[in-house]
């Protein structure tokens, strides 16, 4: 079992790595915000999804759509949106593939047919595989172009019969053919019922197609998130290296100082105990609003042997090598991220607190004396005096 000093050294080093991780994460968020890295990564992912890497075809129309432009910020919408939901993507995509006039919406069956025609055009003209993917997703709904054409032709026949019925009903009573009128009414009713069922199926099919396209988009965005996380990991590693050198944070020297200086160790552990709750919200939401100067000030207030002065400049090659090794250890540790160190700090702190409980419990046990009755004595009564 580790001693309390070893646990305190571990807590101190973890707390230092946590503060440095917060500094590096905040700097990375500033860089990502300034250069709009999230928005550019999302745009790259959507262009790849739409098989339009240069943004000249479908991807260009997508980002020029009013809905997407409304999600952008800055003058001329130069700040790209950093998040687009699957529902928004599907709505914009279907509006591009099958545009509708404002105030005069098309029936969904016509929208579905327009989308299929546009996808076929994409495959023939724009040479993109995305159209083929969407066609496959829509084919899974079971609604074919032949069925849609038959549905449209069926409604046209109904309209012809309605026109014929109007002509018959306009005739005088003597000239009206009641048998033909009755037959037309029955035929129209039967066709309308049959077509209404098919129309309902078309509505369900396009809803299913929207859902499948949205799922396809979510899967693609999962890969985009993976790209961004890898980019962020590389960026934070570089930032951690710069911060370690600029602040002269040598992990080997820090661990040695904590081991040999009980006063410094106690101060760092106390700061770690007090800072866990204060940093909980900061670790949960690493944004550009986090104050790096406050974190650096807290590191300086701990009295740690960090920073540059005449005494910290390496005077021999051996000291320089040790210093470089300490920077490398710090860089690798900090690049693991603030959430990792925060969770580890919580666990190690709990282990240290749990280790103190048995001593307190033992003290409470020793302070309470429970009388044990002698053989033959009844608890709560006084034993008879000896003869």
């Amino acid at each position: 079992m580790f001693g309390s000093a070893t646990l305190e050294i571990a807590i101190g080093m973890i707390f230092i790595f946590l503060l440095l991780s917060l500094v590096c994460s905040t700097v990375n968020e500033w860089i990502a915000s300034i250069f709009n890295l999230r928005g550019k990564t999302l745009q790259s992912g959507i262009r790849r999804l739409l098989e339009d890497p240069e943004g000249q075809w479908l991807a260009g129309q997508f980002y020029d759509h009013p809905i997407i432009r409304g999600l952008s910020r800055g003058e001329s919408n130069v700040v790209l949106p950093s998040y687009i939901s699957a529902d928004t993507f599907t709505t914009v995509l279907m509006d591009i593939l099958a545009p509708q006039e404002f105030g005069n919406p098309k029936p969904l069956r016509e929208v579905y047919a327009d989308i299929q025609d546009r996808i076929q055009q994409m495959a023939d003209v724009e040479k993109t595989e995305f159209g083929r993917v969407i066609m496959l997703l829509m084919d899974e709904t079971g609604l074919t172009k032949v069925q849609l054409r038959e549905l449209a032709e069926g409604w046209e026949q109904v309209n012809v019969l309605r026109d014929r019925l109007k002509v018959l009903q306009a005739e005088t009573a003597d000239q009206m053919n009641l048998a033909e009128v009755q037959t037309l009414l029955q035929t129209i009713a039967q066709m309308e019922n049959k077509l209404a069922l098919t129309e309902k199926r078309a509505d369900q099919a396009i809803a299913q197609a929207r859902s499948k396209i949205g799922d396809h988009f979510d899967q693609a965005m999962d890969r985009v998130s993976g790209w961004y996380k890898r980019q962020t990991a590389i960026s934070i590693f570089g930032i951690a290296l710069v911060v370690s050198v600029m602040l002269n944070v040598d992990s080997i020297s820090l661990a040695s100082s904590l081991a040999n200086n009980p006063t410094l160790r106690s101060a760092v552990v106390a700061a770690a105990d007090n800072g866990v709750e204060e940093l909980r919200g900061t670790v949960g939401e690493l944004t550009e609003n986090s104050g790096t100067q406050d974190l650096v000030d807290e590191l300086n207030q701990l009295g740690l042997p960090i920073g540059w002065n005449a005494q910290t400049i390496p005077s021999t090659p051996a000291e320089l090598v040790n210093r470089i090794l300490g920077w490398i250890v710090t860089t690798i540790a900090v690049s693991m991220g603030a959430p990792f160190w925060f969770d580890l700090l919580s666990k190690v702190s709990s282990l240290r607190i749990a280790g103190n409980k048995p001593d307190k419990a033992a003290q409470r046990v020793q302070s309470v004396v429970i009388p044990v009755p002698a053989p033959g004595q009844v608890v709560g009564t006084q034993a008879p005096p000896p003869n």
Side-chain angles (χ1 to χ4, degrees):
M1 182 69 183
F2 293 113
S4 60
T6 304
L7 282 177
E8 289 177 351
I9 294 172
I11 290 173
M13 293 301 298
I14 293 171
F15 183 62
I16 294 170
F17 291 150
L18 171 59
L19 293 179
L20 289 173
S21 298
L22 288 172
V23 172
C24 294
S25 297
T26 305
V27 172
N28 182 71
E29 287 297 324
W30 283 348
I31 296 174
S33 178
I34 293 172
F35 294 99
N36 194 21
L37 297 182
R38 280 194 175 89
K40 291 180 179 178
T41 303
L42 177 61
Q43 184 187 52
S44 177
I46 290 179
R47 285 182 174 182
R48 183 170 180 177
L49 172 65
L50 299 179
E51 294 289 334
D52 184 11
E54 301 299 328
Q56 297 178 351
W57 299 99
L58 195 58
Q61 298 175 43
F62 181 85
Y63 272 90
D64 285 338
H65 194 276
I67 293 179
I68 303 302
R69 292 178 65 87
L71 297 176
S72 304
R73 295 181 291 108
E75 297 181 0
S76 302
N77 299 318
V78 294
V79 182
L80 300 172
S82 58
Y83 173 76
I84 297 175
S85 66
D87 185 64
T88 300
F89 174 82
T90 305
T91 300
V92 173
L93 178 63
M94 289 196 165
D95 187 55
I96 294 173
L97 297 178
Q100 301 188 49
E101 297 181 3
F102 181 75
N104 186 25
K106 297 180 181 178
L108 291 182
R109 53 182 169 82
E110 295 184 14
V111 174
Y112 200 101
D114 290 345
I115 291 174
Q116 289 182 322
D117 292 339
R118 180 72 173 90
I119 290 174
Q120 185 64 41
Q121 179 186 2
M122 288 168 52
D124 296 339
V125 179
E126 300 173 10
K127 307 301 181 183
T128 173
E129 290 295 323
F130 179 73
R132 180 174 175 272
V133 172
I134 299 301
M135 182 64 77
L136 291 174
L137 293 175
M138 295 181 71
D139 285 346
E140 292 180 4
T141 63
L143 192 63
T144 65
K145 294 183 68 173
V146 175
Q147 293 172 326
L148 289 173
R149 185 170 59 251
E150 291 176 351
L151 180 60
E153 292 174 353
W155 283 116
E156 291 178 358
Q157 293 177 6
V158 169
N159 291 331
V160 171
L161 294 177
R162 286 174 178 171
D163 293 338
R164 174 59 181 168
L165 181 61
K166 290 179 181 179
V167 172
L168 293 177
Q169 291 176 340
E171 295 178 351
T172 62
D174 296 337
Q175 296 176 342
M176 182 181 298
N177 189 338
L178 295 178
E180 185 177 358
V181 170
Q182 185 176 6
T183 302
L184 282 174
L185 289 173
Q186 293 177 351
T187 303
I188 291 173
Q190 292 174 356
M191 292 185 65
E192 286 181 341
N193 291 335
K194 182 178 179 180
L195 292 174
L197 293 175
T198 308
E199 192 86 34
K200 183 178 180 180
R201 183 186 172 195
D203 294 349
Q204 295 173 346
I206 199 168
Q208 185 179 357
R210 285 179 59 93
S211 176
K212 288 182 176 295
I213 294 173
D215 292 341
H216 182 66
F217 174 78
D218 284 336
Q219 293 173 5
M221 290 305 101
D222 288 341
R223 294 192 295 271
V224 173
S225 297
W227 303 342
Y228 186 77
K229 288 179 180 178
R230 287 191 290 272
Q231 294 174 2
T232 300
I234 297 173
S235 175
I236 289 181
F237 185 88
I239 295 172
L241 180 59
V242 173
V243 170
S244 299
V245 176
M246 288 184 62
L247 298 180
N248 189 25
V249 184
D250 176 4
S251 293
I252 298 176
S253 176
L254 287 174
S256 177
S257 298
L258 291 175
N260 298 324
N261 191 336
T263 303
L264 175 62
R265 185 170 66 243
S266 299
V268 175
V269 171
D273 292 338
N274 295 330
V276 170
E277 292 300 327
E278 296 178 2
L279 291 173
R280 189 178 301 277
T282 308
V283 175
E285 298 179 359
L286 296 175
T287 66
E288 61 272 12
N289 296 326
S290 301
T292 54
Q293 188 59 47
D294 294 339
L295 297 172
V296 174
D297 291 343
E298 185 167 355
L299 282 170
N300 292 329
Q301 292 172 2
L302 293 176
L304 298 169
I306 63 176
W308 289 101
N309 52 50
Q311 288 74 27
T312 57
I313 298 177
S315 58
T316 64
E319 290 182 0
L320 179 60
V321 171
N322 289 335
R323 187 68 54 80
I324 293 175
L325 290 176
W327 292 338
I328 293 175
V329 172
T330 303
T331 301
I332 294 174
V334 171
S335 63
M336 298 180 72
F340 170 82
W341 291 115
F342 182 79
D343 292 340
L344 187 59
L345 178 61
S346 300
K347 293 177 181 178
V348 176
S349 298
S350 300
L351 178 63
R352 173 171 166 269
I353 295 173
N356 293 331
K357 288 183 178 179
D359 295 334
K360 296 179 180 179
Q363 293 176 0
R364 289 195 298 270
V365 171
Q366 293 175 0
S367 63
V368 178
V369 179
I370 302 176
V372 179
Q377 181 180 356
V378 180
V379 178
T381 62
Q382 186 177 0
N387 295 327

